[in-house]
Amino acid sequence: MVTGSMDTEIIIAIVAIVFFIVGVYLHKKSLHTDPFPKTGVNLEKTKSLEISPREYEVLKEVALGLSNKEIADKLFVSESTIKTHVSNLLVKLNAKRRTHAIQIAQELKII
């Protein structure tokens, strides 16, 4: 009876290893997808609106729903710097709120 339980444990271990490998593969594959595909993005419009590359980077992070603190941590700058960038973006996009800025950016096809 000992060999029966060993066979079951080996089968369970093999299934667990297969699921682990599939999970790692899918996770790595999902990390390489760009949330903002380059097709259809009008980068010329960002230049005409005088949106700096750093402001554009902040805009993309805001579109992902990150807070100022999260964006600051991700971009290795202070939270007040992010607040300044967001404020500049609101002025340049003529928006009253962050959500409105994202809506305008999507309409302009810059994100």
Side-chain angles (χ1 to χ4, degrees):
M1 194 71 183
V2 172
T3 60
S5 67
M6 280 297 280
D7 290 342
T8 305
E9 288 181 19
I10 290 172
I11 291 171
I12 291 172
I14 291 170
V15 169
I17 290 170
V18 168
F19 274 102
F20 175 76
I21 292 170
V22 168
V24 168
Y25 171 76
L26 291 176
H27 179 70
K28 285 189 179 236
K29 189 174 179 183
S30 71
L31 289 177
H32 294 293
T33 58
D34 188 6
F36 300 101
K38 297 297 178 206
T39 57
V41 175
N42 186 355
L43 294 178
E44 289 300 316
K45 190 68 175 173
T46 60
K47 291 177 184 170
S48 70
L49 290 169
E50 298 179 355
I51 295 174
S52 71
R54 190 58 146 183
E55 288 170 343
Y56 183 69
E57 200 173 357
V58 170
L59 179 64
K60 291 193 302 184
E61 300 301 331
V62 169
L64 291 174
L66 293 160
S67 69
N68 289 345
K69 174 85 170 108
E70 292 169 324
I71 297 169
D73 291 344
K74 188 172 182 178
L75 300 180
F76 305 106
V77 295
S78 71
E79 191 173 350
S80 64
T81 300
I82 297 302
K83 288 179 183 179
T84 301
H85 288 314
V86 171
S87 178
N88 290 341
L89 284 166
L90 293 177
V91 169
K92 291 176 181 180
L93 292 171
N94 196 24
K96 298 197 184 334
R97 299 174 311 282
R98 292 164 66 109
T99 53
H100 190 216
I102 298 308
Q103 180 183 5
I104 291 170
Q106 289 172 338
E107 289 170 2
L108 295 173
K109 297 187 188 312
I110 58 175
I111 59 168

